mmCIF file of all heavy atoms in Angstrom:
data_model
loop_
_atom_site.group_PDB
_atom_site.id
_atom_site.type_symbol
_atom_site.label_atom_id
_atom_site.label_comp_id
_atom_site.label_asym_id
_atom_site.label_seq_id
_atom_site.Cartn_x
_atom_site.Cartn_y
_atom_site.Cartn_z
ATOM 1 N N TYR A 257 59.440 110.276 127.495
ATOM 2 C CA TYR A 257 58.017 110.062 127.222
ATOM 3 C C TYR A 257 57.329 109.365 128.400
ATOM 4 O O TYR A 257 56.246 109.765 128.821
ATOM 5 C CB TYR A 257 57.870 109.213 125.947
ATOM 6 C CG TYR A 257 56.441 108.891 125.579
ATOM 7 C CD1 TYR A 257 55.718 109.742 124.755
ATOM 8 C CD2 TYR A 257 55.822 107.743 126.058
ATOM 9 C CE1 TYR A 257 54.395 109.455 124.425
ATOM 10 C CE2 TYR A 257 54.509 107.448 125.731
ATOM 11 C CZ TYR A 257 53.802 108.311 124.914
ATOM 12 O OH TYR A 257 52.499 108.013 124.590
ATOM 13 N N SER A 258 57.967 108.328 128.956
ATOM 14 C CA SER A 258 57.354 107.532 130.030
ATOM 15 C C SER A 258 57.221 108.334 131.317
ATOM 16 O O SER A 258 56.145 108.365 131.931
ATOM 17 C CB SER A 258 58.195 106.294 130.334
ATOM 18 O OG SER A 258 58.362 105.508 129.181
ATOM 19 N N GLU A 277 65.729 113.581 136.827
ATOM 20 C CA GLU A 277 66.196 113.463 135.449
ATOM 21 C C GLU A 277 67.697 113.757 135.399
ATOM 22 O O GLU A 277 68.158 114.782 135.896
ATOM 23 C CB GLU A 277 65.400 114.421 134.537
ATOM 24 C CG GLU A 277 65.990 114.673 133.161
ATOM 25 C CD GLU A 277 66.243 113.419 132.332
ATOM 26 O OE1 GLU A 277 65.342 112.569 132.208
ATOM 27 O OE2 GLU A 277 67.371 113.290 131.799
ATOM 28 N N ALA A 278 68.432 112.838 134.775
ATOM 29 C CA ALA A 278 69.895 112.938 134.756
ATOM 30 C C ALA A 278 70.392 114.168 133.978
ATOM 31 O O ALA A 278 71.359 114.813 134.375
ATOM 32 C CB ALA A 278 70.491 111.667 134.154
ATOM 33 N N THR A 285 65.019 110.191 124.640
ATOM 34 C CA THR A 285 65.640 109.793 123.379
ATOM 35 C C THR A 285 65.217 110.676 122.211
ATOM 36 O O THR A 285 65.867 110.678 121.169
ATOM 37 C CB THR A 285 65.362 108.303 123.098
ATOM 38 O OG1 THR A 285 66.447 107.780 122.332
ATOM 39 C CG2 THR A 285 64.064 108.091 122.335
ATOM 40 N N TRP A 286 64.151 111.460 122.385
ATOM 41 C CA TRP A 286 63.659 112.282 121.270
ATOM 42 C C TRP A 286 64.453 113.563 121.076
ATOM 43 O O TRP A 286 64.279 114.276 120.096
ATOM 44 C CB TRP A 286 62.166 112.573 121.437
ATOM 45 C CG TRP A 286 61.412 111.298 121.261
ATOM 46 C CD1 TRP A 286 60.999 110.454 122.257
ATOM 47 C CD2 TRP A 286 61.081 110.658 120.027
ATOM 48 N NE1 TRP A 286 60.420 109.330 121.706
ATOM 49 C CE2 TRP A 286 60.454 109.441 120.347
ATOM 50 C CE3 TRP A 286 61.248 111.001 118.679
ATOM 51 C CZ2 TRP A 286 60.001 108.549 119.358
ATOM 52 C CZ3 TRP A 286 60.794 110.133 117.707
ATOM 53 C CH2 TRP A 286 60.175 108.919 118.053
ATOM 54 N N ASN A 312 57.694 105.924 113.232
ATOM 55 C CA ASN A 312 57.388 104.760 112.401
ATOM 56 C C ASN A 312 56.020 104.133 112.664
ATOM 57 O O ASN A 312 55.682 103.112 112.073
ATOM 58 C CB ASN A 312 58.506 103.710 112.496
ATOM 59 C CG ASN A 312 58.721 103.225 113.916
ATOM 60 O OD1 ASN A 312 57.847 103.372 114.766
ATOM 61 N ND2 ASN A 312 59.872 102.654 114.169
ATOM 62 N N ILE A 361 70.338 109.102 138.994
ATOM 63 C CA ILE A 361 70.069 108.050 139.986
ATOM 64 C C ILE A 361 71.152 106.969 139.899
ATOM 65 O O ILE A 361 71.396 106.416 138.823
ATOM 66 C CB ILE A 361 68.700 107.387 139.733
ATOM 67 C CG1 ILE A 361 67.565 108.422 139.718
ATOM 68 C CG2 ILE A 361 68.441 106.275 140.746
ATOM 69 C CD1 ILE A 361 67.120 108.934 141.039
ATOM 70 N N GLY A 396 64.066 104.489 130.360
ATOM 71 C CA GLY A 396 64.270 104.291 128.918
ATOM 72 C C GLY A 396 64.906 102.950 128.611
ATOM 73 O O GLY A 396 65.699 102.446 129.404
ATOM 74 N N ASN A 552 53.420 103.160 121.982
ATOM 75 C CA ASN A 552 53.660 104.072 123.095
ATOM 76 C C ASN A 552 52.407 104.251 123.956
ATOM 77 O O ASN A 552 52.518 104.557 125.136
ATOM 78 C CB ASN A 552 54.133 105.427 122.567
ATOM 79 C CG ASN A 552 55.647 105.488 122.450
ATOM 80 O OD1 ASN A 552 56.312 104.470 122.356
ATOM 81 N ND2 ASN A 552 56.188 106.684 122.463
HETATM 82 C C1 LIG B 229 66.008 106.151 117.463
HETATM 83 C C2 LIG B 229 64.702 105.768 118.087
HETATM 84 C C3 LIG B 229 63.508 105.905 117.383
HETATM 85 C C4 LIG B 229 62.293 105.572 117.943
HETATM 86 N N1 LIG B 229 61.172 105.727 117.211
HETATM 87 C C5 LIG B 229 59.978 105.389 117.743
HETATM 88 C C6 LIG B 229 58.787 105.576 116.975
HETATM 89 O O1 LIG B 229 58.817 106.038 115.839
HETATM 90 N N2 LIG B 229 57.613 105.220 117.537
HETATM 91 C C7 LIG B 229 57.559 104.725 118.811
HETATM 92 O O2 LIG B 229 56.470 104.446 119.281
HETATM 93 N N3 LIG B 229 58.658 104.550 119.545
HETATM 94 C C8 LIG B 229 59.867 104.867 119.042
HETATM 95 N N4 LIG B 229 61.001 104.713 119.791
HETATM 96 C C9 LIG B 229 60.885 104.165 121.149
HETATM 97 C C10 LIG B 229 61.066 105.267 122.211
HETATM 98 O O3 LIG B 229 62.023 104.790 123.084
HETATM 99 C C11 LIG B 229 59.786 105.613 122.903
HETATM 100 O O4 LIG B 229 59.016 106.325 121.965
HETATM 101 C C12 LIG B 229 59.892 106.532 124.117
HETATM 102 O O5 LIG B 229 60.706 107.628 123.815
HETATM 103 C C13 LIG B 229 60.394 105.860 125.351
HETATM 104 O O6 LIG B 229 60.431 106.832 126.362
HETATM 105 P P1 LIG B 229 61.099 106.570 127.762
HETATM 106 O O7 LIG B 229 60.730 107.729 128.601
HETATM 107 O O8 LIG B 229 60.738 105.226 128.234
HETATM 108 O O9 LIG B 229 62.663 106.535 127.488
HETATM 109 P P2 LIG B 229 63.700 107.733 127.073
HETATM 110 O O10 LIG B 229 63.122 108.556 126.005
HETATM 111 O O11 LIG B 229 64.963 107.029 126.829
HETATM 112 O O12 LIG B 229 63.804 108.599 128.394
HETATM 113 C C14 LIG B 229 64.451 108.134 129.559
HETATM 114 C C15 LIG B 229 64.908 109.326 130.386
HETATM 115 O O13 LIG B 229 65.505 108.849 131.589
HETATM 116 C C16 LIG B 229 66.698 109.544 131.846
HETATM 117 N N5 LIG B 229 67.572 108.655 132.623
HETATM 118 C C17 LIG B 229 68.166 107.512 132.216
HETATM 119 N N6 LIG B 229 68.871 106.963 133.227
HETATM 120 C C18 LIG B 229 68.699 107.778 134.306
HETATM 121 C C19 LIG B 229 69.182 107.753 135.644
HETATM 122 N N7 LIG B 229 69.965 106.766 136.090
HETATM 123 N N8 LIG B 229 68.826 108.750 136.481
HETATM 124 C C20 LIG B 229 68.027 109.758 136.043
HETATM 125 N N9 LIG B 229 67.542 109.839 134.785
HETATM 126 C C21 LIG B 229 67.879 108.852 133.929
HETATM 127 C C22 LIG B 229 67.250 109.886 130.472
HETATM 128 O O14 LIG B 229 68.096 111.004 130.513
HETATM 129 C C23 LIG B 229 65.966 110.172 129.698
HETATM 130 O O15 LIG B 229 65.600 111.513 129.765
HETATM 131 C C24 LIG B 229 62.242 105.047 119.254
HETATM 132 C C25 LIG B 229 63.428 104.884 119.973
HETATM 133 C C26 LIG B 229 64.649 105.245 119.403
HETATM 134 C C27 LIG B 229 65.896 105.054 120.198
#
Side-chain angles (χ1 to χ4, degrees):
Y257 178 90
S258 303
E277 165 56 49
T285 209
W286 292 95
N312 59 20
I361 304 283
N552 270 22

